[in-house]
Amino acid sequence: MLRFRLLVESIQLFLRMDKRKTYTMTGITEYALPDIYGYIRKHQARHFVFKFSAMEIYNESVRDLLSVDNTPLRLLDDTERGTIVEKLTEEILRDWSHVIHLLSICEAQRQIGETSLNEMSLRSHQIIRLTIESCSRDFLGRDNASTLTAAVNFVDLAGSERASQSLSAGTRLKEGCRINRSLLTVGTIIRRLRDWLFQRRIWHLT
């Protein structure tokens, strides 16, 4: 019987509303990947599969950044993997050039608009997920193989904005309201998680 463990980590970036935030997250992503590839090269006794997926949350709808189809995707609950995005494209990475190509697709697909404060204002949240599956080469292909699955999420949040400063109206105003509401929700979740950990005297997560 196939067995697996799932490890999930998330990196979130909160900065003021400008492109520096996205450049920083892109840099983090590009620096993290060589480290992962380096780890894989040092552990030849295991077989690794490296997967890449990307989505954006625009006006509270989830969209696949690796697909030209802008149809909103559904969120589903999986008993083993937790919350998953239905029909989200997942690419098996071949090499470093493939990674750069996929990152460029994400950048081109992401929603960007002009406001009075920023000519290239990001209008959506972006989540890039890297999934690594590995198993011992000695058990590769066997029914009793134990597979370890790890995932890291690189979350680039759109910046909050004040309508009085951005002078937003129409579509831009609607986008800004949705962005602010979602950021408020994220903040509420973080505070409740902090309070839950404090009540149980848990000072770190493992």
Side-chain angles (χ1 to χ4, degrees):
M1 180 178 180
L2 182 66
R3 295 176 295 153
F4 66 91
R5 292 175 56 204
L6 177 62
L7 306 176
V8 180
E9 291 288 346
S10 294
I11 297 176
Q12 298 180 346
L13 195 62
F14 297 87
L15 291 175
R16 289 182 61 85
M17 182 187 64
D18 56 30
K19 290 289 285 185
R20 289 176 298 171
K21 171 171 57 62
T22 295
Y23 291 149
T24 303
M25 180 55 74
T26 300
I28 291 173
T29 306
E30 292 181 356
Y31 273 107
L33 288 169
D35 284 346
I36 296 174
Y37 276 118
Y39 180 90
I40 291 175
R41 285 193 296 269
K42 293 178 182 178
H43 295 78
Q44 296 296 319
R46 299 187 68 84
H47 172 73
F48 290 88
V49 177
F50 203 1
K51 299 178 181 179
F52 181 106
S53 60
M55 72 192 84
E56 72 170 352
I57 303 173
Y58 174 68
N59 282 343
E60 300 185 0
S61 294
V62 179
R63 300 168 57 185
D64 189 343
L65 285 175
L66 297 181
S67 173
V68 295
D69 186 359
N70 290 328
T71 303
L73 304 180
R74 293 196 306 160
L75 300 180
L76 304 176
D77 289 326
D78 185 277
T79 56
E80 294 180 335
R81 294 183 294 170
T83 302
I84 61 174
V85 182
E86 186 182 35
K87 299 181 180 179
L88 181 67
T89 302
E90 194 170 50
E91 291 271 354
I92 296 179
L93 295 177
R94 301 187 298 270
D95 50 33
W96 178 244
S97 62
H98 191 199
V99 174
I100 297 300
H101 173 66
L102 293 177
L103 288 174
S104 66
I105 292 176
C106 294
E107 184 176 357
Q109 290 270 67
R110 194 168 176 188
Q111 294 292 323
I112 297 176
E114 181 179 357
T115 69
S116 63
L117 296 177
N118 194 340
E119 294 181 355
M120 300 287 288
S121 175
L122 297 173
R123 314 309 295 169
S124 67
H125 309 305
Q126 174 184 267
I127 303 174
I128 293 176
R129 165 167 282 207
L130 303 176
T131 304
I132 308 171
E133 299 174 355
S134 73
C135 67
S136 172
R137 292 187 183 276
D138 295 336
F139 296 94
L140 190 62
R142 298 184 184 180
D143 292 338
N144 63 341
S146 178
T147 300
L148 174 63
T149 300
V152 58
N153 299 306
F154 296 90
V155 183
D156 184 9
L157 297 172
S160 62
E161 61 184 46
R162 295 181 180 177
S164 59
Q165 293 180 345
S166 62
L167 303 180
S168 299
T171 300
R172 293 290 172 264
L173 179 60
K174 177 183 177 181
E175 292 169 345
C177 291
R178 295 287 177 84
I179 290 171
N180 290 342
R181 183 162 58 185
S182 61
L183 292 175
L184 178 62
T185 301
V186 171
T188 300
I189 293 172
I190 291 174
R191 285 193 300 272
R192 289 183 178 177
L193 177 59
R194 178 203 61 192
D195 294 341
W196 182 86
L197 294 173
F198 182 79
Q199 291 171 4
R200 288 157 181 77
R201 309 183 77 80
I202 300 174
W203 310 121
H204 66 279
L205 292 176
T206 58

